[in-house]
Amino acid sequence: TSNYRPEELYAKGFNRDQFVDFIPDLTGQCPVIDLGGETDYRKVDLSENSEIFWHPINPDTTASFNQTFEKMVGKDVTKDFQLPIPMEKRHISVPAYGTDTRGAKVARFTFNDLCVKNMGRADYSVIAENYHTLFIEGVPKFKPDLGAEFRRFISLTDILYGKKVALHLQSEVHTEQLF
């Protein structure tokens, strides 16, 4: 799958001329299905009162963020859990997690826990495979000096999306202004 039509793939890529001859083969083997529509579902029900995204970072949004996490998991919260990484002799530190009413695990992290520390796709995959919902607080507005953190955040959200993990986020600015 792709967000680009075959003729738009690798449009400004280095050595695109070596890729252009492949485009007709790709088009012949892969049907193009346009899923465009009038509604951008990424923005549906994201009002200021939603319990999905909070901004800016202040005592009010922090209190609401905390209340939503507590409402979802109740008072039975495990703190500082060491999530093992299969086949490796290391773990991921999960600051807090609980279980929702459906029995699904819900974890809570800070941006620093996930994107400032040296973590990668394998770490994010383990998190996504173990938790149905993630709460992440303290996401900054990305600036050029946050290059590594930005790449980690993109990898994290990409993996969470791919594994259908629900994301609740507290950020410095509205999600449309993060990048």
Side-chain angles (χ1 to χ4, degrees):
T1 62
S2 177
N3 291 331
Y4 298 96
R5 298 181 139 318
E7 62 274 5
E8 296 169 346
L9 289 171
Y10 209 48
K12 294 182 181 175
F14 186 68
N15 292 332
R16 185 179 198 292
D17 57 319
Q18 295 175 10
F19 179 75
V20 172
D21 293 339
F22 174 67
I23 293 174
D25 294 334
L26 181 65
T27 305
Q29 294 293 317
C30 301
V32 175
I33 301 170
D34 186 0
L35 299 177
E38 298 298 317
T39 305
D40 185 347
Y41 289 97
R42 297 169 298 179
K43 297 178 182 177
V44 172
D45 195 29
L46 295 181
S47 67
E48 296 300 317
N49 297 323
S50 82
E51 293 183 339
I52 299 173
F53 300 116
W54 292 262
H55 76 281
I57 298 171
N58 63 34
D60 291 336
T61 61
T62 299
S64 177
F65 185 84
N66 293 340
Q67 288 170 352
T68 302
F69 179 77
E70 289 171 11
K71 184 168 53 172
M72 190 174 288
V73 300
K75 298 290 183 190
D76 189 18
V77 175
T78 302
K79 297 199 184 247
D80 300 318
F81 177 71
Q82 302 303 306
L83 178 64
I85 300 174
M87 310 301 283
E88 295 187 31
K89 294 180 179 175
R90 60 188 187 93
H91 61 272
I92 299 165
S93 188
V94 180
Y97 87 89
T99 305
D100 68 13
T101 56
R102 300 169 298 159
K105 291 183 186 174
V106 179
R108 180 174 179 161
F109 293 90
T110 66
F111 175 80
N112 287 350
D113 295 329
L114 297 172
C115 300
V116 174
K117 291 180 180 175
N118 192 15
M119 295 182 81
R121 295 184 70 83
D123 302 304
Y124 300 144
S125 289
V126 169
I127 291 168
E129 290 163 3
N130 282 275
Y131 299 100
H132 179 271
T133 302
L134 249 59
F135 280 71
I136 304 173
E137 61 184 310
V139 177
K141 176 171 176 51
F142 289 99
K143 299 175 179 100
D145 63 332
L146 293 175
E149 292 86 351
F150 171 76
R151 284 188 297 279
R152 289 184 192 118
F153 184 74
I154 295 299
S155 290
L156 170 64
T157 54
D158 182 46
I159 288 169
L160 296 177
Y161 178 80
K163 295 192 181 277
K164 299 179 177 23
V165 175
L167 177 62
H168 296 257
L169 196 72
Q170 181 201 36
S171 60
E172 189 177 332
V173 294
H174 190 281
T175 54
E176 292 179 344
Q177 299 167 341
L178 279 176
F179 310 107

